[in-house]
Every structure is written in structure tokens, then in C-alpha cells.
Amino acid sequence: MPIFDRRNLFSLAAGAAGAALLPAASSARPLDQVLSTKRLRAGINPTLPPFGTFNERNQIDGFDADIAREIARRMNVELEIVQVGSPDRIPFLQADRIDIVLGAMTRTIERALVIDYTVPLHTQSVVVLTKQSGTAAPINTPADLNNSAVRLVQVRGTIGVPWIQANAPQAQVTLLDNYPDTFRAMAQGRADAMVDVLESVVIPMRNFPQAQWRVLDQVLGSTWVGIGVQKGNDTLKDVLNVVLFELHREGFVNRTWEKWFGVPMKTPVPFNPMF
């Protein structure tokens, strides 16, 4: 996918710049209105599995939906899931069409200028994905990628491309148009490794189990992902922070993560009662 999407940990979020150009935001629904209507409206993108996906009943499900349902339950309100896409997440929030927004909302300065964040819900980590055997040269650390014998494959425009240019200029690099083709190239022995966000590759890895995948332990970069609320909606944000603290303290976030991703969170969110 292109750099300007959820996988790019070092660029603006899709739609954030456009959101800043919108007319003045509608007034946010403060906590008392959420409680009086007994309804919490959560924006979730169903095209980012396993964060958001459609289940067999054509309902929005996934990690984000489970988290939102538990937040609503603990607030003693009903959850209304509103379908959003990456470009319209922030505009929906600013226009008061939703109360909170999930969907890999990486915390960036640019977004923080137009929305407020809760404490971190989860992280995203850039890693090296390779195979247990069959590579052209041994790959045990990220530094091993800087080898003329190593064959890297990447989707055009993704975060791995500039990282490779800066850190593995000697490697052979093949750029393809989509993720299925990159995983197929590795599974078929035409490539040795790729650099990408772990959360973006966990599900595609399962489609090629014969490849015997291996993720290197070292994290090349990580970011914090919170829940977005409308700018200045402190009453709702404060309660969400307390709820998220409890969900982390009780292990609910980590259990839900492993339920949907099949592996523990690569970079755990520190247990911190201060916010």
C-alpha cells in the first residue's frame, strides 16, 4: 500500500491534512450527553483486518470492535459502530458524526493539532520478515540485509523502501504492486526478506504457511496508537483513559490482541497509571 496509509509510521495520516481544511468543527458530545443518550458512537474501518473486518453476518468485527464493545459495556452505554474509511475518520470526528475513532490511529503531531488522543491502546512495530531456511545468505539481524546476495522484495511506496535505501543499499531489491505478490515471491524462493509493519503482515503470512516464516526480534521502529476524540472533549477523554488503564491492567487488551493477531503485541504498552 502507499506510504500515506496506516503502515507509514513516519508520515501524515490519510485525511488529516484535509480535515484541517474543513469548516469549523461541530460541538463534541461531552460525557454527559453520551451517558444521557446511553449511546457511544465508535468509528471503525472494516477494511483493515484484523483491526476491523466484516464477519459472516456482514457485521463489523475485529480487534477494534471488541475494544469498543468493552469500553461501552464498562461505561454502561450501548455501542453504535459507524463505518469509516481512512480518509474520513478525522472529518467524521470533527463533524460530530462519531464520538471516538479507532483503526490504527497512530499518534502524530499533525493529527494532534486537530484531534485529541487517549493514552495508547496499542503499538505498531516495523520489523524484518524472513524465512527459517532457503535464503540466499544468512539473515539473523537487520544488518545482514546489507548484502549484495540478499534479495529483498517490497511493495512500492511502503515504509520498507526508504529504510532499505538508508540501511541496506547493497541488497537486491524488487518492488511489486501489492502484498500478495510480495509474499508469493518469498514463499516461492524468489526473495529472502521484506521490511514492514508487523501488524500488516501477520494475516498475509497465514496464507503461505509453507514458507516457514521468521520475524527477527529487533524492532526497527515503533509508534503509539490511541483512540481519537474530538478536540477539547476532555470529559469523554478522561473517562476513556481510566477505562483503557483498567483494560491494560486486567490484560484485556493483550488477550484481545492475541485473539485477533495470533501473536503477542511486539512492542507492549507499558503499564502506567499516570495520564
Side-chain angles (χ1 to χ4, degrees):
M1 292 182 68
I3 283 181
F4 292 97
D5 67 12
R6 71 186 180 92
R7 279 181 277 267
N8 180 9
L9 304 184
F10 308 107
S11 66
L12 302 184
L21 301 177
L22 290 178
S26 302
S27 297
R29 290 204 318 155
L31 177 63
D32 60 350
Q33 290 186 24
V34 172
L35 296 179
S36 64
T37 60
K38 288 190 171 296
R39 182 168 58 105
L40 179 68
R41 304 166 302 170
I44 295 177
N45 186 346
T47 66
L48 299 175
F51 289 107
T53 186
F54 285 109
N55 61 25
E56 65 278 0
R57 299 185 300 276
N58 204 34
Q59 298 170 333
I60 296 178
D61 209 348
F63 172 82
D64 287 337
D66 276 0
I67 293 295
R69 280 191 286 263
E70 184 63 14
I71 289 173
R73 187 187 73 81
R74 296 195 182 211
M75 291 179 62
N76 196 29
V77 297
E78 296 294 324
L79 178 68
E80 177 186 343
I81 294 180
V82 179
Q83 181 176 342
V84 299
S86 293
D88 55 26
R89 292 178 297 181
I90 291 176
F92 269 45
L93 196 61
Q94 291 187 313
D96 195 31
R97 298 177 65 177
I98 53 178
D99 301 308
I100 64 175
V101 63
L102 296 91
M105 287 291 291
T106 303
R107 190 173 63 185
T108 68
I109 295 173
E110 292 79 14
R111 280 177 173 165
L113 293 173
V114 294
I115 67 171
D116 284 341
Y117 281 99
T118 64
V119 295
L121 169 60
H122 64 84
T123 59
Q124 290 184 310
S125 302
V126 180
V127 297
V128 175
L129 174 64
T130 183
K131 296 177 292 184
Q132 297 285 357
S133 61
T135 56
I139 301 176
N140 296 306
T141 70
D144 293 334
L145 299 182
N146 193 27
N147 183 330
S148 60
V150 171
R151 304 162 300 171
L152 298 179
V153 62
Q154 298 291 144
V155 175
R156 288 183 176 87
T158 52
I159 189 61
V161 176
W163 188 93
I164 291 168
Q165 292 170 341
N167 297 278
Q170 296 185 41
Q172 304 174 47
V173 182
T174 299
L175 299 180
L176 300 176
D177 292 327
N178 57 69
Y179 278 90
D181 285 347
T182 61
F183 279 90
R184 191 172 298 108
M186 292 181 63
Q188 294 175 350
R190 294 181 283 115
D192 303 315
M194 66 184 294
V195 176
D196 214 308
V197 176
L198 178 62
E199 293 72 26
S200 300
V201 302
V202 166
I203 300 302
M205 284 167 59
R206 299 174 187 172
N207 296 327
F208 299 92
Q210 74 279 11
Q212 297 183 318
W213 303 109
R214 180 164 65 104
V215 176
L216 299 191
D217 291 334
Q218 184 173 340
V219 175
L220 306 181
S222 60
T223 58
W224 304 100
V225 179
I227 296 174
V229 301
Q230 195 176 113
K231 199 72 177 170
N233 195 352
D234 294 334
T235 56
L236 179 58
K237 182 180 69 174
D238 289 346
V239 169
L240 291 172
N241 282 339
V242 175
V243 174
L244 286 177
F245 171 76
E246 293 299 328
L247 295 186
H248 282 297
R249 183 178 66 85
E250 297 171 12
F252 181 87
V253 173
N254 287 335
R255 290 195 302 272
T256 305
W257 184 272
E258 293 193 35
K259 168 188 172 181
W260 288 100
F261 287 88
V263 294
M265 199 178 300
K266 185 69 172 175
T267 305
V269 175
F271 179 63
N272 184 0
M274 305 304 294
F275 46 82

